[in-house]
Amino acid sequence: MDDQQIIVLDPAGSDRHGEDAALRARGPAARVDVLGVPAWAVTDPALLKQLLTDSRISKDPHQHWPLFPEQIVGKWPLALWVAVRNMFTAYGADHRRLRRLVSPAFTARRVQALSARIEEVTNGLLDDLAATPPGEPADLRARFAYPLPIQVIGHLMGLPEDAIGDFRGAVDAVFATTLTPEEATANTEKLYGLLAGLVAAKRAAPAADLTSTLIASRDVEGDGSRLSEQELLDTLLLVISAGYETTVNLLDQAVTALLSHPDQLAAVRDGRAEWSTVVEEALRWEAPVPHLPMRFATEDIALPTGETIKAGDAILASYSAAGRHPALHGPTAEEFDLSRPSSEHLAFGHGVHFCLGAPLARMEAEIALRGLFTRFPDLALAVPPHELRPQGSFLANGHKEVPALLGRDARS
């Protein structure tokens, strides 16, 4: 492998768009260094969709990644992303079994049933924002984008109120890409301690929540499809982390996109664009998870460029680069435009691993954005858009803070 052809991903994600452009310039797939681990970053939307549905692509490192576990566990900061035993990393029949156990919680009926809770949480957060002293900036990421999704997933999973903060901190560290292997390992131990405590509490006092349902599928003898103890913990980890972190970034980016594009915000206020369109365009324009690790080739796969992804090579789904790819959205792909004919994106994945929680995330975002911009019609960023600081990760696409001036409260 020629080192000159490898793009080293910036752990701090300091120039997301520049890095994505460099990846696209290398062709449909580019060789990258992911915190010291080699991989192929796939940025072309057509190729990415093809690979995400290709039976020669696995998510199970135990079977299909030669570097695992000797060169990964305890040595690579992102080891947890591939070491977990849940539907995120499962392959074939195992994936179908694990997904089948979780999917009933995300049916259209059950997701819709959460709308009242989402409205309640949203209104409470808006009331809190309205108490901000006039002229004082409010951090919309910390006070709105963050607490809404974690409270909703906490309700769904039955997380104890006093544990939500600990879970939030540990999950945030899972998405960090600037930790040392030692720091990442320590966070993993902390996270499993929290999960074990949650399971113990729900075993002692089951409730009408998804955690209790999953524990029952672990503890009740059945047809052999039940969860193992490790699968139980890792499935809880997946639903809790994926259930809020991505939605935080979706809200963050949608709010900042509208506030930095007043013409687009005016189109929504005038009824020329729907809130659902805002959500989809925000997902395309700023994918909440820029790169998703990892997938693995089970055999050699020829690329259109004549290169070959070799059996055992790791593959990174580069959703942010794909979302702005000119092959899909033409010369205006870099623009936030609610009038474009299609905001097609892959931010929730594609194929059998398509995000189960996508309908919930979309509903949360629509309710939250509509409420925020209705309650505060004069909402404005407190700093120029270019002064907003990136979160500092290539796995999470948001800002460190989103300071905003609320203006008048429409209810006051």
Side-chain angles (χ1 to χ4, degrees), residues 108-144:
R109 179 179 61 82
R110 291 198 173 184
V111 168
Q112 189 59 42
L114 289 168
S115 62
R117 176 60 177 164
I118 297 170
E119 293 274 8
E120 178 186 7
V121 174
T122 298
N123 290 334
L125 294 172
L126 294 176
D127 288 343
D128 176 71
L129 285 171
T132 304
E136 180 179 305
D139 182 356
L140 294 182
R141 182 174 176 90
R143 296 177 60 186
F144 191 69

Side-chain angles (χ1 to χ4, degrees), residues 221-288:
E221 293 290 345
D223 59 0
S225 65
R226 67 178 188 158
L227 294 165
S228 69
E229 191 70 14
Q230 190 64 52
E231 288 171 342
L232 169 61
L233 294 174
D234 288 345
T235 297
L236 292 173
L237 168 59
L238 172 62
V239 178
I240 292 169
S241 58
Y244 98 89
E245 185 78 30
T246 53
T247 310
V248 172
N249 292 325
L250 167 57
L251 287 171
D252 172 331
Q253 294 290 1
V255 168
T256 54
L258 289 172
L259 293 181
S260 57
H261 295 81
D263 57 328
Q264 301 301 306
L265 177 56
V268 185
R269 293 196 184 282
D270 296 344
R272 290 177 283 122
E274 302 291 333
W275 285 111
S276 58
T277 304
V278 173
V279 172
E280 297 310 308
E281 179 67 352
L283 287 165
R284 180 201 72 81
W285 196 59
E286 293 284 4

Side-chain angles (χ1 to χ4, degrees), residues 62-385:
H62 300 269
Q63 296 186 64
H64 302 122
W65 199 16
L67 298 186
F68 188 87
E70 287 79 8
Q71 299 180 49
I72 300 301
V73 176
K75 300 177 181 178
W76 189 47
L78 306 183
L80 183 62
W81 283 81
V82 296
V84 289
R85 294 281 197 174
N86 55 32
M87 64 183 180
F88 182 77
T89 57
Y91 179 63
D94 270 344
H95 174 261
R96 291 189 292 273
R97 171 178 63 87
L98 293 166
R99 191 176 177 100
R100 187 168 60 246
L101 291 169
V102 179
S103 57
F106 294 96
T107 62
R109 179 179 61 82
R110 291 198 173 184
V111 168
Q112 189 59 42
L114 289 168
S115 62
R117 176 60 177 164
I118 297 170
E119 293 274 8
E120 178 186 7
V121 174
T122 298
N123 290 334
L125 294 172
L126 294 176
D127 288 343
D128 176 71
L129 285 171
T132 304
E136 180 179 305
D139 182 356
L140 294 182
R141 182 174 176 90
R143 296 177 60 186
F144 191 69
Y146 243 126
L148 173 61
I150 193 64
Q151 288 189 46
V152 172
I153 202 65
H155 173 76
L156 178 66
M157 303 300 294
L159 299 183
E161 192 69 31
D162 59 0
I164 285 181
D166 289 336
F167 271 106
R168 170 180 160 173
V171 169
D172 285 351
V174 171
F175 283 80
T177 49
T178 55
L179 301 184
T180 65
E182 294 76 19
E183 290 171 332
T185 298
N187 184 69
T188 296
E189 292 173 357
K190 175 184 177 181
L191 194 47
Y192 277 121
L194 292 169
L195 292 167
L198 175 63
V199 169
K202 293 297 179 180
R203 279 197 170 115
D209 53 53
L210 182 54
T211 299
S212 297
T213 299
L214 291 171
I215 289 172
S217 73
R218 157 66 183 149
D219 292 349
V220 177
E221 293 290 345
D223 59 0
S225 65
R226 67 178 188 158
L227 294 165
S228 69
E229 191 70 14
Q230 190 64 52
E231 288 171 342
L232 169 61
L233 294 174
D234 288 345
T235 297
L236 292 173
L237 168 59
L238 172 62
V239 178
I240 292 169
S241 58
Y244 98 89
E245 185 78 30
T246 53
T247 310
V248 172
N249 292 325
L250 167 57
L251 287 171
D252 172 331
Q253 294 290 1
V255 168
T256 54
L258 289 172
L259 293 181
S260 57
H261 295 81
D263 57 328
Q264 301 301 306
L265 177 56
V268 185
R269 293 196 184 282
D270 296 344
R272 290 177 283 122
E274 302 291 333
W275 285 111
S276 58
T277 304
V278 173
V279 172
E280 297 310 308
E281 179 67 352
L283 287 165
R284 180 201 72 81
W285 196 59
E286 293 284 4
V289 179
H291 303 284
L292 190 66
M294 291 277 205
R295 286 170 166 82
F296 314 100
T298 63
E299 58 184 82
D300 289 0
I301 298 175
L303 295 174
T305 56
E307 297 173 291
T308 300
I309 298 177
K310 298 291 184 61
D313 281 358
I315 298 169
L316 199 63
S318 295
Y319 294 135
S320 61
R324 294 188 179 206
H325 204 294
L328 189 60
H329 294 290
T332 65
E334 296 281 353
E335 300 173 13
F336 181 77
D337 181 6
L338 300 178
S339 67
R340 69 175 63 255
S342 167
S343 292
E344 181 182 348
H345 60 80
L346 294 167
F348 289 123
H350 182 69
V352 298
H353 283 278
F354 183 82
C355 177
L356 270 178
L360 177 58
R362 285 172 161 133
M363 185 171 70
E364 284 184 58
E366 284 189 45
I367 290 173
L369 293 170
R370 182 185 297 111
L372 177 68
F373 284 93
T374 299
R375 184 75 174 267
F376 301 106
D378 302 321
L379 190 66
L381 287 175
V383 298

